[in-house]
Amino acid sequence: MQHPEAIIVRLGELTLKGRNRRRFERRMMEQIANLIQHYPKATLREEFGRVYIILNGEPYAELAAGLNRVFGLSSYSPAVKARLDLEDIRRRAIEWVRGAEPAPRTFKVSVKRANKAFPHNSHELAHLIGGAILRQAEGTLQVDVHQPELELRIDIRQHEVYLFSEILPGTGGYPVGSNGKALLMLSGGIDSPVAGWHSMRRGLEIEGVHFHSYPYTSERAQQKVIDLTRKLARYTPDRIVLHMVPFTEIQTRLNQSNCENLLITLMRRSMLRIAEQLASGRKANALVTGESLGQVASQTLTSMQVIGDGIRLPILRPLVMMDKQEIIGQAQAIDTYDISILPYEDCCTLFVPKSPATNPNLKVVERMEKSFFFLPELEQQAVEQTEALYIREQEEDKFDEYF
Ligand code: ATP
Ligand code: MG
């Protein structure tokens, strides 16, 4: 491939969204602008649902990797530019075909002429350009309009012409924040950051909620959650708010209450009630968890039912039908896996019952909760004592020194 001079970026599903389209496009532009601010020579142009990044010498591969973190993007293409001039287009087209690797034996030219003022229609142009390529190739190339080894696509725009072949898939989804806000229950394990990534890809703004049992759990366990949040912050131009909820008191009291194999069920219910309260203060309309059906005792269908009972907000579980191995693969792809497997204990690994209930009974659980007079007040306190951290992508270095 020739050295790309531009990247053509196509916006995704959001083009379907009629009325909201302008807002979505603005949001995408913000994200792309945020990405290219690290590449001062690069410039942006927006035209009819497409964004053109003009590289001006900035590295294509790095920018393309960055584009994979912009949600709402359906595909992109590395391209070269030509002037609005047939001879210049031919010259660049010949170079493009020569530079193609591996050398194609068959090719096809397709032309899209958004600029109707440009002379010749697209059909004629394809012939004029294809003919020039054939003459140069001296018999080593043939046209194949059905299954060409190389398709040279030529996009004639208002101010210039782009030549490209590949259409690479983007990450899809919607721009972060374009579909509302949810609170992500973030544990420090493998699953919840992946659930966060899926939520953001669906256009949700997320705020993290982490329950800790400091000093039983270490500061490192909290730092781990901060680092995971920072990985997620690479997918949004904004900061991510992370709510740190002190859970020590509730956990200790529940543990002393002889609830045995229902401890995890009770803890989870309490966590969700607290998260729901935080959500109402933050104008979030859903809770997101990293639960996956059947993975552990607290994630059987009855457990999920009993744990979620009484919560009015929708509980979104992006990973509910996924296999662990798939989740691990995604955690590696978004670079959270290595942090997640660090061995610092989580609040849920304290006081784990020997055989946590896989089939809890809602009536029994509710009766127990009624007898725990301390619970509503402690939950209220936990909400009040929650601390918010503001986490951005770039502060990475500062926090690395923490260890
Ligand atoms: P993960 O890998 O996300 O920790 P897991 O397979 O270990 O998930 P659990 O520990 O049962 O499963 O947790 C299920 C879900 O409950 C988590 O994905 C997360 O959304 C939420 N959760 C668990 N512990 C915490 C915590 N300490 N703070 C916030 N959310 C939590
Ligand atoms: Mg966990």
Side-chain angles (χ1 to χ4, degrees):
M1 185 172 70
Q2 254 183 299
H3 216 57
E5 296 164 352
I7 308 178
I8 305 174
V9 179
R10 298 172 198 84
L11 309 189
E13 291 176 42
L14 58 97
T15 48
L16 303 174
K17 278 260 189 166
R19 246 178 344 136
N20 290 329
R21 182 175 160 163
R22 273 311 303 162
R23 192 165 57 86
F24 284 7
E25 283 184 3
R26 259 203 311 280
R27 186 75 188 143
M28 288 252 346
M29 281 303 279
E30 244 174 75
Q31 293 197 53
I32 297 173
N34 179 60
L35 169 68
I36 73 159
Q37 73 178 359
H38 306 291
Y39 303 91
K41 281 183 280 173
T43 56
L44 276 185
R45 168 172 291 166
E46 192 188 2
E47 246 182 65
F48 304 113
R50 287 194 183 180
V51 178
Y52 297 83
I53 303 175
I54 316 298
L55 294 172
N56 295 318
E58 297 287 6
Y60 163 74
E62 262 178 50
L63 262 148
L67 284 178
N68 284 323
R69 296 196 296 270
V70 176
F71 297 129
L73 188 157
S74 75
S75 68
Y76 63 95
S77 299
V80 294
K81 287 197 306 173
R83 281 178 279 117
L84 280 169
D85 166 63
L86 182 58
E87 276 323 302
D88 200 48
I89 300 171
R90 279 174 153 169
R91 180 178 67 80
R92 303 256 42 201
I94 290 165
E95 282 171 13
W96 183 261
V97 175
R98 277 204 189 128
E101 279 169 25
R105 285 162 299 186
T106 56
F107 81 108
K108 160 186 175 178
V109 177
S110 34
V111 177
K112 209 166 122 200
R113 193 175 56 123
N115 178 350
K116 299 296 179 207
F118 193 74
H120 311 289
N121 65 32
S122 10
H123 194 68
E124 287 164 8
L125 278 168
H127 275 273
L128 288 166
I129 298 161
I133 293 170
L134 277 176
R135 276 195 297 284
Q136 279 289 322
E138 296 174 343
T140 57
L141 256 181
Q142 282 183 335
V143 173
D144 179 347
V145 289
H146 301 296
Q147 282 203 311
E149 288 178 3
L150 179 76
E151 179 164 0
L152 168 55
R153 303 167 207 260
I154 299 183
D155 192 3
I156 307 203
R157 310 298 293 195
Q158 294 315 113
H159 304 283
E160 69 256 292
V161 178
Y162 295 90
L163 295 85
F164 63 98
S165 290
E166 290 170 293
I167 298 179
L168 303 164
T171 323
Y174 295 101
V176 173
S178 62
N179 271 339
K181 194 203 280 189
L183 292 197
L184 169 69
M185 314 274 289
L186 194 57
S187 66
I190 296 169
D191 304 327
S192 38
V194 177
W197 178 87
H198 280 280
S199 313
M200 294 170 89
R201 188 169 75 148
R202 235 39 231 154
L204 287 174
E205 176 189 347
I206 55 159
E207 294 190 6
V209 182
H210 178 67
F211 295 82
H212 65 83
S213 292
Y214 187 76
Y216 295 113
T217 53
S218 65
E219 280 187 28
R220 286 188 166 196
Q222 291 187 51
Q223 183 61 35
K224 189 174 154 181
V225 177
I226 294 172
D227 291 342
L228 287 170
T229 309
R230 201 181 307 289
K231 288 289 180 190
L232 292 177
R234 296 182 308 157
Y235 295 90
T236 167
D238 307 323
R239 58 179 182 24
I240 295 185
V241 183
L242 174 60
H243 304 275
M244 292 293 202
V245 187
F247 202 57
T248 323
E249 188 74 22
I250 293 174
Q251 203 176 1
T252 317
R253 293 291 289 273
L254 285 176
N255 188 50
Q256 289 162 352
S257 307
N258 290 329
C259 42
E260 310 268 314
N261 60 357
L262 286 175
L263 177 64
I264 301 279
T265 313
L266 290 159
M267 268 168 51
R268 287 281 194 271
R269 282 170 61 89
S270 182
M271 282 182 179
L272 285 178
R273 282 191 294 266
I274 293 169
E276 189 172 47
Q277 276 210 52
L278 292 172
S280 96
R282 300 297 302 172
K283 299 197 166 56
N285 297 317
L287 303 176
V288 178
T289 78
E291 289 164 303
S292 167
L293 187 58
Q295 205 184 75
V296 289
S298 59
Q299 298 176 22
T300 62
L301 206 48
T302 15
S303 277
M304 283 190 200
Q305 187 188 359
V306 172
I307 288 170
D309 196 276
I311 299 297
R312 286 216 296 273
L313 283 182
I315 301 174
L316 307 180
R317 301 176 170 97
L319 314 184
V320 73
M321 301 298 178
M322 281 172 66
D323 281 354
K324 191 75 188 186
Q325 215 41 49
E326 288 175 77
I327 300 171
I328 288 176
Q330 297 193 347
Q332 285 165 334
I334 63 170
D335 206 22
T336 52
Y337 184 75
D338 290 343
I339 301 173
S340 290
I341 59 173
L342 293 172
Y344 313 125
E345 71 292 3
D346 173 61
C347 71
C348 298
T349 45
L350 294 177
F351 328 122
V352 188
K354 277 191 205 71
S355 55
T358 53
N359 196 18
N361 181 308
L362 182 61
K363 288 269 165 335
V364 176
V365 169
E366 284 176 339
R367 213 176 308 130
M368 275 185 154
E369 271 174 1
K370 274 218 184 72
S371 73
F372 298 157
F373 298 107
F374 57 88
L375 208 48
E377 197 186 321
L378 286 185
E379 286 175 4
Q380 195 51 44
Q381 272 176 23
V383 170
E384 282 159 17
Q385 291 167 6
T386 294
E387 286 177 335
L389 299 173
Y390 298 87
I391 296 173
R392 278 184 186 281
E393 169 191 0
Q394 285 101 3
E395 287 146 33
E396 202 137 32
D397 294 332
K398 202 167 88 200
F399 275 89
D400 276 346
E401 286 168 18
Y402 192 96
F403 284 100

